[in-house]
Structures are given as structure tokens and as C-alpha cells.
Amino acid sequence: MSKTVAIIGGGIAGLETSIQLEKLGYDVTLYEKDKALGGHAGKWDRLFPNRRHATEVIDSLTSRIKDKVQINLAATVNQIKRENGSFLVEANGKSQKADAIVLTTGFELFPANKKEEYGYGIFENVITSAELESMFSSNGKPLMTNGNNPAKVAFIHCVGSRDEKVNRPYCSKVCCVTAVKQAIEVKEAIPTSDVYCFYMDLRMFGPGYEDLYKEAQVKGVNFIRGRLSETSEMEGGRVLIKAEDTLSSKPLKMTVDMVVLMVGMSPLPSTEKLLKDLEITPNNDGFVQVKDYHLEPTHTEADGVFVAGACTGPNNITDSVNAAHTAALEVHKYLTSE
Amino acid sequence: MNLHAVQIPFHPFVLPFTIGLIFLVFYIVGKWIYWVSQFSWEDKKKIIRGFFSLKTPQAIWEVFMESLLHRKVFRRNALLGYMHMSLAFGWFLLIVFGNLETRFFTHGRINPPYIPIFFEFFEHDLTSLDYGRFFTFTMDLLLLFVLSGVGLAYFKRFRSKPLGMKNTTKHSTIDRLALTALWLIFPLRLLAESVTAGLYDAGGFITNSIGTFMMTFLPIQHFYYPSWWAYSIALGAFFVFIPFTRYMHIPTEILLIFLRKYGIVEKAIHSTYTQVELSSCSRCGICIDACQLGSDLGIVSTQSTYLIKSIRYDQPTEKLIDSCMACTRCDQLCPVGIDIASIRANERKMIQLFQENSYKYINGYEYKKAKVAYFAGCMGHLTPSVYKATLALFKKAGVDYNFIDRDGSICCGRPLQLAGQEDAAKQLIEKNIKLIENCGATVLVTSCPICAKVFTDSYKLKIPIYHHSQYLLMLAKEKKLKFEKSDLQITYHDPCELGRGLGVYDEPRELLGMAGKLIESANSRENSLCCGGSLGITNISHEQRNTIASITLSELAADKADVVATACPLCKKTFKSASENVRIADISEIMLDAVQENANKIQSEFVQEKEIETIHN
Amino acid sequence: MVNFGYTTLPTHIHDMDKADLGLADSISFEDSSFNLCIACGSCTSTCTAGAFTNFSFRQMCHQIKRGENSQAIAESEKCMLCGKCTLACPRNVNTRNIIRLVRKANQTI
């Protein structure tokens, strides 16, 4: 009888883990709380650094899932219990047995309204990076609430990242390059627009990222080294933003048509409950604590519980796929060593 | 001994007591005369005028209620109040009844003070005299009353929690010596009187029983003189200690009550009144528990009682002066009513860090012209939802407002005041008064209690000043705003500057009551907790502020409130930084959610001008 | 020295071998949050005084860290202690305390 692995979360990491474990001959139960697979990436328009469509990646992953994976959509896992060396996973009132667990619950986007001074939810043309992606998906370009093309767009980096005032002291890694990608896209969609990126440090750590930054510079995206401090609303829904231009040591104010907040990755509150069930303590940032950051990055303190993807901390797609491979292999080792 | 004889009895053991008493009386009278002579002419006039007015009987009543009965301490904790009352009132009654007793038995003769105190020594058996049984019974009962207080005081040293105190004051050596003397007085009196009662089969129900019992196994005849000597020495020692210890509060508090009744207050710098207040502190320690630096952060050495002690005897350290959030919670709870906040503020003023022309760069700036001037304040610009909601409500009510500091303002000066930078604050205040006067407003509304506090106390503007909660309530009462009450459960957080600072407790509650169901938290109104964001302190870290905020918030949200309502941008920011799970919203946001859409629309369009006039008047 | 009728320009480089970092050391000893600045400029851009004059809390701290103490101390006087920067700082620098420490240094100099 083949063994069953429960995978909690159907984003990039969850999908990739399912594919690998199925290949290794396991029965997989995949739980996804949304109605569709793909997680956050599934809702994105295009991906950095090469700006391919996100659907390409998601479709490729879903197409590789075969029939030994039982996919449960709109299935929120409420409880995981240990029972005689295996687990009982309860979702939507139904319990299923599993021999191992892989947590691929992912993250939530930082709730931008927690940064009240940035005006999200207060001023109409202050949006998040995720909302800009949806605009690209549906209109191919950003639009102000009055339907006009924005002539001036400001990207605000590090919203809900590196900010102890909102208890997110860590860097979310991917927002810098996402901002640069989106800035280029705005420039391309509305060539007459002026685009500004307000950054503290530009962290272009991956292959092709620095090229993307250069491309943005060439295409006329302006980079201002300073963090947004406050916003206010002007005539016609325009937004006045204030930052220091730290390179010239002068305060700077600017009226823009649209402010895009580069929201960071935050720990998902519903993961916390599962961690309690499994007796795993979160790390300082609130993400899942892995057993050994260097050597066992997909193990947790709990026996038989593995982890992959952005529930361990900010990750890009490549990180998640890598972690998913490792997790699948570690699950295999765990289930065959018994 | 024959008390009826003309000769007044004497025994050398009364000397320690008598010398101590004479010393104390001379010291206190001298000190009082000195203090009163040191007052300014202005204050002296107040004292003279007050003395011949109804204020004197009022003060006597207060002395009775507070110095003897300890009403305020009672309100805080019944057991603690009983302890203080039994010691003070009990002792007072012992003296009164002792004097009555002696007077009665000596047929109205004026006796030296040691006679009533040591009456049992000089007259062993009173039971045979008229009303003797009544007096011996009463005196024993009173002694028992005082001893019960002494017993509680012993108990409080070991376990203070049942008396409502988590922390008790750490006393100096001389205070401990005086305390020991005080604690010995009444047990020694009991011993001396019991021994006497045992030997002569006299005394009341307690002293007689104890004395007779002791006789069965102790050679108490040897205790007779030593016990009276010990009692007298304990009393004398305590009296001599009083001027040099916290027990100076006993006589000084009486003077303080009179002075306060006559209208004397703390000045902008330390004054003679401060001297009286410093000596009136009994170091009871109630301010220690009131202080969140202690309860939340474990900082228990900088509370008001320690500052007062330090100013009285030597120079307080900078840390001692600075370690206070200026929330004034202890001020409200102080049973003696010492103006702790002003004393600390004056202490902070001693270091002026800014120059006379620090802000000369502010010139040529103007606020927007307005009828109803809305002032968000510095912090208000970091909480745009507050001013947006407030202004949306103004618009709905048809108020002809202008957001005068929309493009920025200068600081109101209150943060500098809180840091003791009075000179610098004055510069800003002067400049801001001109800016506000020039904008032509007939009423000033601000969302920031910190601004509201200094506008009200120091600006002397000729126009009314309101916190937005007050103004919105006025609009609601004029039926310009109508709200739909829902079953939203709201806990209101009193900001320090608005509540204790300006006494605005009811208006925000009345307003919120129109939007939902108000739940009071355990500590509200005068006792409300500080959010931790205080501008009154600079030497604690953000993490420490977060700790205070979390504890305060958990109390506010304890009763399962749907929303914690704030009325201060700083409180809102501080709470939001400390919590993810509790909904925190300004009063204006909650009211905007509850406002009835087209309420009074027609009316406001027609009578807008006129109604605004009535509001302004 | 012979007066040639001209002076040399003051140096335009930070000579860290000669810089007086005493003030920086004493401030960071008193309040270590002084060291936490990541130069984002939030304090400067939100600054109430900064709207009227060229005061910059961030720059002031930086000057102290490079030993330019007299400039920093002169600048610090413009602060109104309003506390807005404390709320804006993502690194929880205890800004008002640092201003007070700098002003106190002014008194001892």
C-alpha cells in the first residue's frame, strides 16, 4: 500500500512538491484554500526577470500533476492531529489520513492599510503592487479611478518590509525587482508617463535582475533614494507624497497621479494555527522556523512535517521550486526509513 | 497617688516623651511660621483672605476626612484605607478621649500633656470612679483599633497585595528607624498598661485580661517601670524623628490642605508651596503602583515619591527626572493631592537646551484663511484617515471649515513643554498664536489632544478651542449630524492630554454612544492607562513603548470590544504598532461609519450660515 | 607663517583618521538606537521644522558619525521636538532622545 502525503497549500511550492512526490510513487492530498491553484503567482500578470506570463508557469505545473494527486480546492485545513505515528488532516469538516505533511502555505501580502500615512484605503489612487498586476491583466495598463491614464506614477519600495513600526523588520527580497519590472511595464504601456521609484536600497540579487534595473534606467524610470514618509490628497484624486532625497539631503515633495505600494510578504495568520497543532514555533519574523537554516532547510522541529516555499520567509519562484524538490526528497527519505 | 491634690504628679520616665513633644511642637510651629513668611505677597493675601472665609471650615472638614479618615485611600482599597484610618483616627481618638478622661477625673484641671498619655501609670484603678468603666472600656477599644492598624502595617511589609499594593516604597534608614519607633509605640503602650492593670487588677477588657494572664507565669512586677520607660522613649524618639523623616507629612499635610483651600497653587518654578508639598508626601507608595513604567516595564525607582524625596533631601538625578511619561495618572491617585506633575515639570525646566532665537527661521508663513479652523497638528498628518473622516463629517454638517495646516504647520509647543523646554516652547507658542489669529478663525478645532492641551492652557486665544470629538458632538446636538446606532461594541481610550489633561471625558463617550454600545474598560476616565507613546518621556525604547501599548490595549479589548476608539493620533499610531488583531479607529472614523447619509441635507443647505453663527457663539 | 594673502580651502574629504568621534561614541553609549539608522530619510521628510528650514535629523546624525560635531550641534537647535520623526522611523531610532543628547553636548562644550 502506498503512503499518503498531505500538502497544505497549492501555490508554486505546493504544486511542485505534489509533482515530485507523485513521481516518487506517493499518494498526494493537496489542499488549497482558494478556488484555484497557483497561489499568489497565479494572480500575477508577468514575472520578473524575463516578464513571461505567470500563467505559463502555473499551467506548466498543473499540467504535470497526474491522477495520484487528490486536489481539494476551496479546502481550508482547520486542524492537523497526530495519530499512531501518522496525521489526521481536517479540512471542511472531513478528516483524511496522511503519513507526512508538507507545509506550503505561503504568505500573505502585507496589508497596506496598516501603513496609514501612505494613504492606502484612504486616498483613491493609492494602490498595491498586486492591484497593479490585476490592472495589467485586465486592461494592459494602470488606470486612475476616474478612468484616466496616470501621467505620473510613484512606486514606493519596502511597504511592510524593513519596517519595525509595523513589526516587519525583514526584507521581502522580491519587491525591489518587482517594482523595477512594473516601472518598465508602466513606461511601456503609457510611454508619456513619468515613473519614479522611491527606494532605500535596491537589492537586485538574482540573475537578470541587475539587467532589468539597467533596462529601467535606460527607459527613463527615475530612481529617488528616499523612503516615503507621508501622503495627502490633492485636487482630482492626485496624491502629494513626501520623501527625503537623501542623495541631495533635501526633503522632496511631488504630486503624482498614482502611488503604487510595493507590499512585502507577511506571515499568513492561518498558518500560525497549524503550527500550534504541530508544536512548531514560528521564527522571529513570524514565518515557519526550519530545523537548520543551512543544512535542513525543509525540515521542521516536528517529526514528519516538512516545509517549502514562502511560508518559511520571503521567496521567489525559483527558491520555492528548489525547496519543493528538496522537501519531496526529504519526505521520501523519511517515509522509506521507517 | 492623689490626683485630686493640687500638686501635679511627676515621674522621670515621662521626660523622653515630654522633651520629644516640646521639640516637635517648637519645630512645627517654627517651620509653619517660616513657610508662611516665605510666601509671595500675592499668596499671603490669598491666605489672609481665605482665613476669614468659609474656606477655613471647609479645610477643617477636609483635614478630618483626609488626614484622619483617609477617604481617598479608602476609595482605592478598603483594607489600606482602614490601616491608615485606624492609625491616624485611632490615635487621634486616643488623645481626645485620654484628655477627656483626665480632665474629667481632675475636675477640669489643665494638665501637662504627659498626664493623659500616661494616665494609667498615675491612676491605677479608674473603675471605682464615676464613668470609670466607660473610659477604661473606650480607651482599650481604641487601643485595639490602633493596634489592628499596626498589625496590618506589619502584614503589609510582608504581603502588600491584599492591601491593593503591588510595590511598596523603598525607605531610607532614618525612615526605617522612625517606622520602628512608630510600630513600637502602641504595643509598648499595651504592655505598660497591661502590666499595670495586672498588678493592680485594673484596666479594661483587654489590658486587664492580658495583665492577669501574664501574671500567672511572669514576674511582671519587674516589667512595671521598664515598660513605661520604653513606651515613653518610643514616643519621644518618634517625635524627634518626625522632622527628619517622611512622618513630617503628618503635620504638613494639614497646612497643605489649608493652603490649597485658600487657592495657592504650584508656580512655573519651585516655590514655598512646593516645599510644603514635598514635606506632605507620606511616601505611601500609591504613585508607584499607578505608574505604568513600574507595572509594565519594571522600572520601580523613578516614581513621584522618589522624585519628591530626592528634591527634598538632595539633587535628583537626570534619570529620575526624565523617567516619567507625564501621563499624570499618579497625580489623580495621590491621596495627599500633591501637584506631582507640576513639580516634575518644574524640575525638568532647570535645564534649558535651546537658544532664545532657535526658531527665528519661521517667518512669512501663513495658515489658510478660515471661519472654522481645523488643525490636524504634526502627528495628525500621519493619520490621514482621522482628518479625512472629521472633515467629511464637517462637510456633511455643512460647516464652513478650512483645513488651516493642510500644507503643514509649526509645532504647537506642547512636546517642548513636556520635555521641560519652556523657553523654546514659548517661542513656538508666540509664533503660532499669530498664525492662528491671522487666519481669521472664529473657532478652532483640532484632532490632536496634545495641541488642544497647550492651545487651551497657554495660548490665551480669544476664540473657543475644541477637540474634534467635542465639536462633532455639538454638531450632533444641533441636529446637523444624525447617527445610526448599531450594536457595535466600542471601548473608548481616554488620551492622557484630553482626559486628565483637559478633563474631557464625557463628550467623546456621548458621541460614541450615538454610534454603538460603549463598554468601559477596567481603568477608564481619571484612571485610564497611557498608550505608551507619550511625548513626556524620551529615555525608553520603542520596544518598551510597545510593551506598554500591548498591555493597555489588552485591557481595553478585554471585554471583547469590536473596536477600540481613540481620540489622539499619537495613541492611534502607538496602538497600531503594537497590535495586529484589535481594530483601532479614531472616534471620527467610527462616527463617519455611523452617520446617516442624507440627514438634514435640506436643512443644512438653507440655514447653514445662521447655524454656524450659533455654533460659534 | 608668512601671509601670502590667501588661505587654503578647507578639506572636502572626510579624514576619518582625524575625525572627532567622541560625540558619536557618547551618544551611541547613551542610546544605542543612534546606530540603527539606515538613512531612509523618513525623519527628514516628515520633519515639521524641515518644512521651514534646512534641518535634517538624518544628516545631523550622519555629521556626528563623521565627526562634524559643531555643524550638527548648530543644526540640532532647529528641532521642535514634535516627535513626528519618531513615528516615521522604520528602525525605531529614539530621535527625540538623540536631539536632547546633542543639545546637552552643546551645553557642555
Side-chain angles (χ1 to χ4, degrees):
Chain A
M1 198 195 108
S2 75
K3 296 197 166 174
T4 309
V5 183
I7 294 173
I8 325 287
I12 299 281
L15 290 172
E16 187 63 47
T17 316
S18 305
I19 293 163
Q20 298 306 327
L21 283 168
E22 187 178 29
K23 274 190 194 160
L24 291 164
Y26 293 99
D27 286 334
V28 173
T29 324
L30 176 62
Y31 297 92
E32 169 51 52
K33 66 178 166 47
D34 280 357
K35 289 185 192 119
L37 294 171
H40 288 280
K43 292 168 196 138
W44 227 243
D45 185 42
R46 286 163 194 262
L47 304 175
F48 61 78
N50 53 7
R51 290 198 276 142
R52 77 203 284 195
H53 281 285
T55 45
E56 268 180 45
V57 172
I58 305 298
D59 290 349
S60 160
L61 287 170
T62 48
S63 68
R64 283 186 280 143
I65 289 181
K66 300 289 182 284
D67 47 357
K68 278 177 86 181
V69 178
Q70 183 206 105
I71 299 171
N72 301 302
L73 292 177
T76 306
V77 176
N78 296 314
Q79 203 182 29
I80 305 175
K81 270 195 287 196
R82 279 183 192 276
E83 215 176 66
N84 311 325
S86 60
F87 299 90
L88 259 186
V89 181
E90 190 261 295
N92 298 356
K94 217 177 82 185
S95 289
Q96 275 184 286
K97 193 182 146 298
D99 298 293
I101 304 280
V102 185
L103 294 174
T104 54
T105 52
F107 63 97
E108 74 167 2
L109 288 166
F110 171 71
N113 56 1
K114 288 193 190 299
K115 223 45 220 153
E116 185 176 341
E117 59 268 44
Y118 287 3
Y120 181 74
I122 305 167
F123 306 136
E124 51 193 45
N125 287 310
V126 179
I127 64 167
T128 65
S129 47
E131 287 163 350
L132 181 63
E133 287 292 331
S134 325
M135 286 185 181
F136 278 121
S137 298
S138 49
N139 313 316
K141 64 176 183 182
L143 285 175
M144 294 172 69
T145 44
N146 60 12
N148 290 348
N149 283 346
K152 228 177 195 179
V153 180
F155 286 88
I156 313 299
H157 292 225
C158 302
V159 178
S161 301
R162 306 181 70 194
D163 187 353
E164 298 190 13
K165 284 283 152 35
V166 292
N167 303 310
R168 266 77 169 178
Y170 53 86
C171 166
S172 290
K173 284 204 314 201
V174 297
C175 337
C176 277
V177 61
T178 304
V180 167
K181 179 203 74 118
Q182 292 184 337
I184 294 171
E185 288 167 340
V186 171
K187 261 301 209 199
E188 284 176 353
I190 310 168
T192 54
S193 63
D194 292 325
V195 179
Y196 295 85
C197 282
F198 288 83
Y199 69 97
M200 297 200 279
D201 297 296
L202 284 174
R203 298 186 167 176
M204 299 293 167
F205 62 94
Y209 294 10
E210 196 68 26
D211 289 337
L212 206 63
Y213 176 23
K214 274 166 71 182
E215 187 186 336
Q217 289 177 303
V218 169
K219 291 196 164 139
V221 175
N222 297 287
F223 289 87
I224 297 175
R225 196 193 170 281
R227 180 174 173 270
L228 181 66
S229 65
E230 58 184 89
T231 54
S232 54
E233 203 166 36
M234 308 300 281
E235 298 293 308
R238 302 186 80 204
V239 187
L240 178 75
I241 56 176
K242 283 187 184 178
E244 187 198 353
D245 180 13
T246 57
L247 299 181
S248 64
S249 292
K250 273 185 191 164
L252 173 152
K253 62 176 187 171
M254 181 189 278
T255 311
V256 296
D257 299 303
M258 181 177 272
V259 174
V260 183
L261 304 178
M262 302 309 301
V263 284
M265 293 184 176
S266 286
L268 190 67
S270 56
T271 305
E272 217 174 292
K273 160 85 179 68
L274 298 182
L275 293 185
K276 256 186 209 142
D277 289 353
L278 296 165
E279 291 172 348
I280 301 170
T281 45
N283 67 18
N284 287 342
D285 297 334
F287 292 102
V288 182
Q289 175 77 56
V290 298
K291 197 170 177 189
D292 184 320
Y293 179 71
H294 298 105
L295 303 172
E296 292 175 304
T298 59
H299 282 75
T300 65
E301 288 296 328
D303 204 34
V305 182
F306 298 84
V307 67
C311 62
T312 62
N315 264 356
N316 62 16
I317 291 174
T318 317
D319 291 338
S320 288
V321 169
N322 284 337
H325 278 258
T326 315
L329 210 54
E330 293 297 342
V331 170
H332 177 61
K333 275 157 66 183
Y334 169 76
L335 291 176
T336 47
S337 71
E338 275 175 356
Chain B
M1 272 177 234
N2 189 357
L3 282 171
H4 304 283
V6 179
Q7 201 188 356
I8 294 165
F10 175 78
H11 187 279
F13 88 84
V14 304
L15 283 175
F17 159 78
T18 313
I19 294 166
L21 184 69
I22 291 168
F23 167 75
L24 181 65
V25 168
F26 272 97
Y27 183 87
I28 292 169
V29 171
K31 194 84 186 175
W32 280 28
I33 292 171
Y34 171 75
W35 273 332
V36 173
S37 71
Q38 289 295 304
F39 276 110
S40 66
W41 182 232
E42 208 55 31
D43 281 349
K44 276 183 192 147
K45 274 198 283 191
K46 276 188 195 164
I47 294 171
I48 294 163
R49 245 183 272 131
F51 187 78
F52 297 105
S53 73
L54 270 179
K55 285 173 182 167
T56 302
Q58 282 168 359
I60 293 170
W61 176 246
E62 197 182 325
V63 168
F64 179 73
M65 292 308 284
E66 299 303 340
S67 303
L68 292 177
L69 297 189
H70 289 86
R71 180 178 49 178
K72 277 191 200 148
V73 188
F74 251 106
R75 270 194 214 141
R76 183 173 163 74
N77 181 292
L79 209 53
L80 191 68
Y82 177 80
M83 184 192 100
H84 282 86
M85 184 192 73
S86 57
L87 283 170
F89 191 51
W91 197 353
F92 172 75
L93 287 180
L94 265 182
I95 295 167
V96 170
F97 272 85
N99 272 291
L100 283 178
E101 182 186 41
T102 354
R103 281 286 192 97
F104 188 80
F105 290 119
T106 57
H107 304 292
R109 191 182 69 200
I110 307 274
N111 294 297
Y114 63 83
I115 296 279
I117 304 296
F118 305 117
F119 195 49
E120 310 260 319
F121 176 87
F122 296 112
E123 185 61 48
H124 305 308
D125 192 6
L126 299 168
T127 46
S128 57
L129 301 165
D130 297 339
Y131 302 106
R133 285 189 187 281
F134 165 73
F135 277 113
T136 45
F137 174 80
T138 311
M139 292 300 279
D140 268 22
L141 190 69
L142 288 174
L143 185 59
L144 185 67
F145 181 46
V146 178
L147 280 168
S148 66
V150 176
L152 274 173
Y154 291 148
F155 178 71
K156 181 169 150 258
R157 286 285 122 184
F158 304 106
R159 286 198 54 213
S160 58
K161 278 221 173 107
L163 285 92
M165 294 183 75
K166 273 195 210 135
N167 296 290
T168 53
T169 322
K170 302 236 177 334
H171 295 302
S172 53
T173 315
I174 189 162
D175 273 346
R176 280 168 203 271
L177 283 173
L179 182 71
T180 312
L182 176 63
W183 279 2
L184 282 173
I185 289 171
F186 295 98
L188 284 173
R189 178 179 177 135
L190 179 70
L191 180 72
E193 290 192 347
S194 297
V195 165
T196 312
L199 286 173
Y200 297 93
D201 192 22
F205 67 105
I206 295 167
T207 43
N208 184 278
S209 335
I210 295 177
T212 320
F213 175 67
M214 283 200 298
M215 256 181 68
T216 57
F217 62 97
L218 285 172
I220 58 169
Q221 63 276 16
H222 299 307
F223 295 1
Y224 183 65
Y225 287 108
S227 61
W228 283 106
W229 269 99
Y231 173 39
S232 175
I233 291 169
L235 273 169
F238 180 66
F239 290 157
V240 173
F241 279 133
I242 282 182
F244 313 106
T245 59
R246 66 196 186 103
Y247 296 102
M248 188 61 192
H249 83 88
I250 300 168
T252 318
E253 191 186 340
I254 298 170
L255 178 65
L256 177 69
I257 289 173
F258 279 91
L259 294 175
R260 194 164 50 213
K261 263 281 172 307
Y262 296 155
I264 296 174
V265 288
E266 276 291 342
K267 312 285 183 297
I269 50 165
H270 288 331
S271 62
T272 316
Y273 185 68
T274 318
Q275 297 298 321
V276 177
E277 286 198 304
L278 295 179
S279 296
S280 298
C281 172
S282 66
R283 281 168 234 161
C284 66
I286 284 177
C287 55
I288 301 178
D289 275 350
C291 180
Q292 288 166 267
L293 292 183
S295 60
D296 298 357
L297 303 180
I299 302 171
V300 288
S301 56
T302 63
Q303 278 70 22
S304 301
T305 184
Y306 297 115
L307 180 74
I308 286 172
K309 184 175 155 194
S310 181
I311 303 173
R312 188 174 155 194
Y313 297 113
D314 48 47
Q315 199 61 48
T317 61
E318 232 168 75
K319 190 183 171 224
L320 184 51
I321 299 167
D322 291 346
S323 298
C324 164
M325 299 199 287
C327 73
T328 67
R329 232 184 142 227
C330 58
D331 229 63
Q332 298 288 326
L333 291 172
C334 176
V336 187
I338 299 173
D339 188 355
I340 306 165
S342 300
I343 293 176
R344 198 184 283 266
N346 286 341
E347 201 59 39
R348 287 185 177 183
K349 281 178 200 162
M350 299 202 182
I351 303 173
Q352 289 300 312
L353 298 171
F354 290 80
Q355 318 280 334
E356 261 170 41
N357 52 1
S358 284
Y359 307 114
K360 60 174 185 279
Y361 57 81
I362 306 163
N363 53 40
Y365 190 72
E366 271 179 21
Y367 291 159
K368 294 180 189 308
K369 295 274 175 274
K371 254 188 182 172
V372 175
Y374 175 76
F375 190 85
C378 302
M379 306 265 185
H381 284 88
L382 295 176
T383 52
S385 49
V386 177
Y387 69 69
K388 205 173 168 183
T390 307
L391 297 181
L393 288 167
F394 283 7
K395 207 174 236 170
K396 275 203 163 65
V399 177
D400 183 11
Y401 71 88
N402 208 344
F403 184 175
I404 58 167
D405 64 332
R406 189 197 161 107
D407 299 334
S409 64
I410 59 175
C411 176
C412 64
R414 181 66 181 154
L416 280 163
Q417 278 186 342
L418 286 166
Q421 301 308 307
E422 198 60 30
D423 297 348
K426 261 183 205 139
Q427 295 178 45
L428 287 185
I429 290 170
E430 273 164 29
K431 286 183 189 284
N432 218 7
I433 288 173
K434 273 192 198 119
L435 287 172
I436 292 171
E437 280 174 349
N438 287 346
C439 82
T442 50
V443 58
L444 178 61
V445 186
T446 177
S447 286
C448 179
I450 302 164
C451 301
K453 168 82 180 157
V454 69
F455 286 168
T456 310
D457 291 355
S458 312
Y459 272 51
K460 299 190 172 64
L461 294 170
K462 288 176 198 79
I463 53 172
I465 296 147
Y466 298 107
H467 180 254
H468 68 294
S469 63
Q470 295 172 296
Y471 196 70
L472 290 174
L473 180 68
M474 280 164 55
L475 293 174
K477 282 188 170 167
E478 306 229 346
K479 304 226 172 352
K480 290 181 154 188
L481 287 173
K482 271 190 184 164
F483 302 102
E484 207 153 335
K485 197 178 164 101
S486 67
D487 45 13
L488 189 76
Q489 309 240 40
I490 310 165
T491 315
Y492 172 66
H493 167 72
D494 288 287
C496 300
E497 294 277 64
L498 190 65
R500 285 182 291 263
L502 289 168
V504 177
Y505 297 110
D506 297 321
E507 292 96 322
R509 287 180 168 77
E510 198 179 339
L511 189 64
L512 284 167
M514 296 177 185
K517 192 177 164 283
L518 212 61
I519 318 169
E520 289 294 337
S521 64
N523 284 295
S524 70
R525 303 176 78 95
E526 287 86 353
N527 289 336
S528 70
L529 299 169
C530 174
C531 68
S534 165
L535 289 171
I537 192 164
T538 52
N539 64 3
I540 55 170
S541 68
H542 180 80
E543 289 70 25
Q544 288 174 309
R545 289 181 189 277
N546 256 0
T547 305
I548 296 173
S550 309
I551 293 169
T552 301
L553 200 53
S554 64
E555 188 188 285
L556 286 166
D559 293 316
K560 305 236 165 1
D562 299 316
V563 58
V564 171
T566 58
C568 170
L570 180 56
C571 296
K572 189 184 180 195
K573 294 283 312 169
T574 309
F575 283 143
K576 283 193 109 172
S577 183
S579 165
E580 299 262 322
N581 308 319
V582 183
R583 189 188 157 207
I584 298 141
D586 186 83
I587 206 163
S588 59
E589 296 169 72
I590 295 168
M591 297 322 288
L592 185 64
D593 284 347
V595 79
Q596 280 185 2
E597 265 316 308
N598 294 310
N600 263 343
K601 199 175 173 192
I602 303 159
Q603 194 198 349
S604 64
E605 272 170 25
F606 284 101
V607 282
Q608 186 180 322
E609 285 292 323
K610 215 169 100 191
E611 294 238 335
I612 288 165
E613 288 298 323
T614 58
I615 290 174
H616 299 165
N617 303 332
Chain C
M1 282 272 279
V2 185
N3 185 358
F4 292 105
Y6 64 88
T7 53
T8 50
L9 284 168
T11 177
H12 274 68
I13 61 164
H14 287 301
D15 186 350
M16 294 307 279
D17 296 334
K18 289 179 184 158
D20 169 17
L21 301 182
L23 182 59
D25 290 345
S26 77
I27 293 175
S28 74
F29 176 78
E30 293 265 343
D31 193 330
S32 60
S33 74
F34 177 64
N35 300 354
L36 296 176
C37 177
I38 49 174
C40 72
S42 303
C43 49
T44 302
S45 65
T46 206
C47 179
T48 303
F52 302 95
T53 181
N54 57 353
F55 172 63
S56 162
F57 180 81
R58 182 195 62 75
Q59 203 184 8
M60 182 201 78
C61 291
H62 194 74
Q63 283 167 337
I64 294 168
K65 286 171 188 169
R66 296 290 176 268
E68 297 174 335
N69 299 338
S70 53
Q71 281 135 286
I73 289 171
E75 280 295 294
S76 66
E77 195 191 338
K78 297 171 180 169
C79 171
M80 301 179 186
L81 276 185
C82 76
K84 236 181 133 184
C85 49
T86 312
L87 293 180
C89 180
R91 279 300 190 98
N92 294 333
V93 175
N94 199 352
T95 54
R96 290 178 85 232
N97 199 32
I98 286 162
I99 288 283
R100 294 193 58 208
L101 293 171
V102 177
R103 294 308 303 157
K104 273 183 199 155
N106 176 49
Q107 292 204 320
T108 52
I109 280 173

